[in-house]
Amino acid sequence: MAIAPLGVAGYLGWVGYRMGDWGGYNKLQDGAWAHKFDWGRHSLDVLTSVPVGRHDYRFAMPMEDMIGVVVVLLVPVLTVLLLRLRPPAVLVVYTVLSYLMVMATQQYFGNVSRYLLPLFPLFIPLALAMRRLKWPSLATVLGTAALASGSYAGYVLFELGVP
């Protein structure tokens, strides 16, 4: 636990040194990918626009943003299911803080599902529920999930070219 923050600080320091500005990493993120901390303004704009069919916000991609909205709205539900299992506090803190960091950042909202992948503790309740499935049902669920995620990843990579 002590080494990870040192690694992050070292990397941020190295980028700042190479760019000649101690805020270089943030400038790089903003300039190259329009990715910056905005206290959630952009996320709120997307979450209030997409469900009502409005797409006049920055970086609008209707289909990808709808998938992102669904994923973002599933996180609180999965968090409640995780809390019912009484996991170690470190998993809850990690999950909640990671979610808040993603939601407080301006980004291509279509990428939000990718940014939320590190929230692996949210899969624990799903895994526990799936262990009750019989083999054919489990193969169907996992196969469908693999096909859906693979086809979406291919679409994003080859059709959109989203970073």
Side-chain angles (χ1 to χ4, degrees):
M1 281 183 4
I3 295 174
L6 293 175
V8 169
Y11 177 73
L12 294 176
W14 178 78
V15 172
Y17 171 76
R18 294 287 296 175
M19 291 187 68
D21 181 357
W22 291 111
Y25 180 80
N26 292 327
K27 286 184 179 179
L28 178 66
Q29 288 288 321
D30 187 22
W33 296 285
H35 195 184
K36 64 182 175 185
F37 191 80
D38 73 347
W39 300 98
R41 284 189 292 275
H42 181 68
S43 296
L44 182 63
D45 192 21
V46 174
L47 288 171
T48 56
S49 298
V50 170
V52 295
R54 208 179 91 229
H55 301 289
D56 58 352
Y57 50 87
R58 191 170 187 190
F59 317 120
M61 295 180 286
M63 186 185 96
E64 298 76 14
D65 293 344
M66 183 56 79
I67 292 170
V69 167
V70 169
V71 169
V72 163
L73 295 178
L74 276 175
V75 169
V77 173
L78 292 173
T79 302
V80 169
L81 294 175
L82 177 67
L83 290 173
R84 291 179 63 198
L85 297 174
R86 298 177 188 218
V90 68
L91 283 180
V92 175
V93 170
Y94 166 80
T95 302
V96 171
L97 289 180
S98 296
Y99 179 68
L100 292 176
M101 286 288 292
V102 169
M103 296 310 297
T105 305
Q106 174 185 293
Q107 67 226 333
Y108 291 99
F109 203 80
N111 284 345
V112 79
S113 53
R114 181 181 72 170
Y115 298 141
L116 292 175
L117 279 176
L119 301 184
F120 68 89
L122 296 178
F123 293 119
I124 294 171
L126 297 176
L128 291 173
M130 285 193 304
R131 75 179 178 181
R132 288 183 247 142
L133 295 176
K134 302 268 189 255
W135 173 244
S137 299
L138 182 61
T140 302
V141 167
L142 293 177
T144 302
L147 285 172
S149 65
S151 62
Y152 183 66
Y155 170 75
V156 168
L157 182 62
F158 296 115
E159 292 295 321
L160 297 179
V162 174

